Amino acid sequence: PSPVPHAHVVTTTTHKTLRGPRGGMILCTADLAKAIDKAVFPALQGGPLEHVIAAKAVAFKQAMSAEFKRDMAQTVANARELAAGLVEAGAAVVTGGTDNHLMLVDVGAKGISGRDAERLCERVGITVNRNTIPYDERPPLQGSGLRLGTPALTSRGMGPDEMRQIAALIARVLDNREDEQALGQVANDVRELASGFPVPGISDRAGVKA
C-alpha cells in the first residue's frame, strides 16, 4: 500500500529492504512534486549517476513482484525468530521482540559496549552495527546496543532455523568474549553456516560472511 495518502512527504532508502543500490527516494503528493524536484536538483544533488538510476529501476521492478512480497514477509518472520532466539539465549532485546526487519539488543546488560560487541562479532564473521539504546549512559560512538536486521540473510535463502542458529552464535560471542578458543569455534561455525547460503554471483569466493 502507498504511504502517500497518509503523509505528504515520505523518504526512504533504495538499499537495505528494497535491495537496490545505495541511495534514496522521495515520495510526495502531486502538488509538492515540482517544489521538491527543484530543491533536490540542482540545489542539493550532484550530477546524476545513470548506472545507479538504472539499478534503482531494476529494484523497483523487482519490488512489484510476488516473489519480493514473499521475501519481505519472510524477512519479518525471520526477524521475529532471531529476536526470540536472542531472548531465549539470555540477550536483552530492547522491545522484547520485533514487528519489522530490525531489532535492538542491549549488550550493556552483559557489561560490554556496543562498539566492542560489534568488533567481536566482526572478528567471527558476523556483521552488526553498534547502536545507542533508550536512556543510554554510554556516548554514541560506543553505545550499549547492537542493531540487527534480517533482509540480507533472507535474500540468501535463510529461514527460521538459521535465525535460531545465528542467535545462538551471537550469544556465544557475547558470553565468551575473552575465550579465544571459543571465539575461534564460533568463527568456524559461522563459515560453515554461511557456506550453505552463498551470495548469488560470488559463491566461488572464499570467506563469504553471514
Side-chain angles (χ1 to χ4, degrees):
S2 173
V4 174
H6 309 287
H8 292 89
V9 180
V10 179
T11 62
T12 187
T13 58
T14 49
H15 51 295
K16 298 183 180 178
T17 52
L18 197 59
R19 302 192 300 204
R22 180 166 290 276
M25 64 177 174
I26 303 173
L27 305 175
C28 67
T29 53
D31 58 308
L32 296 175
K34 186 174 181 180
I36 289 177
D37 284 346
K38 186 176 181 180
V40 171
F41 185 83
L44 298 175
Q45 181 180 314
L49 303 176
E50 300 298 342
H51 62 296
V52 177
I53 293 173
K56 288 180 181 179
V58 171
F60 296 151
K61 176 67 174 178
Q62 290 179 343
M64 296 170 64
S65 69
E67 180 183 9
F68 181 86
K69 186 174 182 178
R70 288 194 300 271
D71 280 356
M72 291 303 103
Q74 187 61 58
T75 294
V76 175
N78 281 349
R80 289 174 175 160
E81 286 292 331
L82 180 57
L86 287 165
V87 170
E88 288 180 9
V93 177
V94 169
T95 53
T98 183
D99 293 323
N100 57 33
H101 63 291
L102 293 172
M103 67 210 69
L104 187 60
V105 180
D106 177 4
V107 295
K110 290 184 174 289
I112 185 173
S113 71
R115 179 177 63 183
D116 289 341
E118 176 188 58
R119 290 174 177 174
L120 278 170
C121 287
E122 181 66 27
R123 281 178 55 192
V124 301
I126 300 174
T127 301
V128 296
N129 292 106
R130 78 188 78 167
N131 211 100
T132 55
I133 62 173
Y135 311 108
D136 204 330
E137 296 182 358
R138 287 186 172 91
L141 288 179
Q142 293 187 24
S144 297
L146 289 180
R147 187 176 76 253
L148 311 175
T150 54
L153 301 175
T154 306
S155 295
R156 289 175 67 164
M158 296 188 188
D161 290 343
E162 289 73 36
M163 296 305 109
R164 294 283 178 163
Q165 292 180 53
I166 292 168
L169 290 168
I170 292 172
R172 285 166 59 192
V173 171
L174 298 177
D175 292 338
N176 298 279
R177 52 185 180 270
E178 297 181 1
D179 186 334
E180 292 298 326
Q181 184 176 354
L183 292 175
Q185 185 58 57
V186 172
N188 290 335
D189 292 344
V190 168
R191 282 192 292 270
E192 183 178 354
L193 174 61
S195 66
F197 299 88
V199 176
I202 62 169
S203 58
D204 55 335
R205 293 184 185 176
V208 176
K209 293 182 178 181

